[in-house]
Amino acid sequence: DVKVTQSSRYLVKRTGEKVFLECVQDMDHENMFWYRQDPGLGLRLIYFSYDVKMKEKGDIPEGYSVSREKKERFSLILESASTNQTSMYLCASSPRGSGGFYNEQFFGPGTRLTVL
Amino acid sequence: AQKVTQAQTEISVVEKEDVTLDCVYETRDTTYYLFWYKQPPSGELVFLIRRNSFDEQNEISGRYSWNFQKSTSSFNFTITASQVVDSAVYFCALTLYNQGGKLIFGQGTELSVKP
């Protein structure tokens, strides 16, 4: 089974702190994604990566950065956390494979971040 | 611009009822994929189905069925004889040919199946 793990299920941070959210997948997938989920808005893409050291901005990259130093790990960084970044953060991965970028994505359990 | 709309925010049914979740999408591209995901209370999204824009065949998988109609830009999901375990948030999503796998999600429909 594909497994995508995220470092924390729940996280509480203070405004201005630097926050690291870690995501690890164990199926050698090329593509990895970070989303945030907010009520009434569905999931919105923050950043994605299709290879080591590669990154692409999603729809809402402001206030975030990412790092992909190893194929299995994709980190989301909040440089200076703000209260409007309180949300559920979901990581996903997908193989490039024969379906290209249209393969289904496999999701982690999410990290619920609260910024006070 | 691309968009996915799930107009039903919440649906509540009694076990064994059939229920249809609506999904309407907007895109000018001719090559795209549509997905449905289920998010149970545990939080982890589970992939249900993928359909490409050139395949309008309806699909049935057990109690689940999907109706894809390009003429109305809809990709609706029906659960037959619903069960309590079907209670979850369901998301419809769209990805385009040249967008690197970016999924555009609808707002989600929360389905509650009561015994």
Side-chain angles (χ1 to χ4, degrees):
Chain A
D1 274 357
V2 175
K3 192 149 187 182
V4 179
T5 57
Q6 295 183 229
S7 48
S8 308
R9 289 301 302 269
Y10 299 94
L11 207 53
V12 180
K13 296 292 181 180
R14 298 217 172 264
T15 302
E17 278 192 73
K18 190 168 186 175
V19 181
F20 292 87
L21 302 182
E22 305 286 345
C23 175
V24 177
Q25 49 94 3
D26 66 0
M27 285 302 291
D28 203 35
H29 286 171
E30 289 81 8
N31 307 325
M32 295 188 76
F33 307 82
W34 274 108
Y35 296 89
R36 65 175 281 175
Q37 180 179 2
D38 300 288
L41 297 177
L43 280 74
R44 293 177 292 166
L45 182 65
I46 305 171
Y47 268 98
F48 66 106
S49 168
Y50 50 88
D51 206 344
V52 175
K53 297 193 185 296
M54 306 301 288
K55 61 183 180 184
E56 295 281 343
K57 291 181 180 179
D59 299 316
I60 52 165
E62 296 78 20
Y64 303 94
S65 62
V66 291
S67 171
R68 191 155 180 214
E69 296 296 318
K70 293 185 178 181
K71 190 176 185 180
E72 67 271 17
R73 187 180 297 268
F74 192 35
S75 303
L76 179 69
I77 304 154
L78 285 67
E79 297 290 344
S80 177
S82 62
T83 55
N84 63 14
Q85 292 178 310
T86 292
S87 186
M88 170 73 90
Y89 290 88
L90 290 158
C91 176
S93 71
S94 71
R96 192 163 301 145
S98 59
F101 288 110
Y102 318 115
N103 288 316
E104 62 269 26
Q105 295 180 17
F106 296 86
F107 283 81
T111 296
R112 188 167 291 282
L113 173 67
T114 301
V115 183
L116 301 175
Chain B
Q2 293 76 37
K3 188 177 177 183
V4 176
T5 301
Q6 295 177 254
Q8 305 149 308
T9 306
E10 297 178 11
I11 300 177
S12 182
V13 299
V14 176
E15 211 171 15
K16 297 183 184 173
E17 280 187 38
D18 298 347
V19 57
T20 295
L21 309 182
D22 297 332
C23 173
V24 174
Y25 62 93
E26 296 174 30
T27 180
R28 291 186 178 180
D29 287 46
T30 56
T31 304
Y32 52 88
Y33 277 76
L34 294 162
F35 298 78
W36 274 96
Y37 283 86
K38 173 183 180 180
Q39 186 179 38
S42 61
E44 194 168 317
L45 270 78
V46 176
F47 165 77
L48 295 177
I49 190 171
R50 177 185 65 182
R51 175 64 84 227
N52 75 57
S53 53
F54 300 107
D55 182 2
E56 284 194 75
Q57 274 193 336
N58 291 331
E59 180 149 342
I60 298 174
S61 175
R63 296 183 298 106
Y64 294 172
S65 62
W66 290 269
N67 183 305
F68 177 29
Q69 291 196 341
K70 287 177 75 171
S71 60
T72 55
S73 297
S74 64
F75 186 43
N76 296 337
F77 172 33
T78 298
I79 302 174
T80 303
S82 60
Q83 300 176 1
V84 172
V85 293
D86 295 327
S87 297
V89 181
Y90 291 86
F91 290 97
C92 181
L94 165 73
T95 190
L96 305 180
Y97 172 70
N98 60 350
Q99 293 292 301
K102 291 168 56 174
L103 282 173
I104 302 160
F105 281 88
Q107 304 91 320
T109 296
E110 183 171 4
L111 174 65
S112 176
V113 182
K114 301 187 187 309

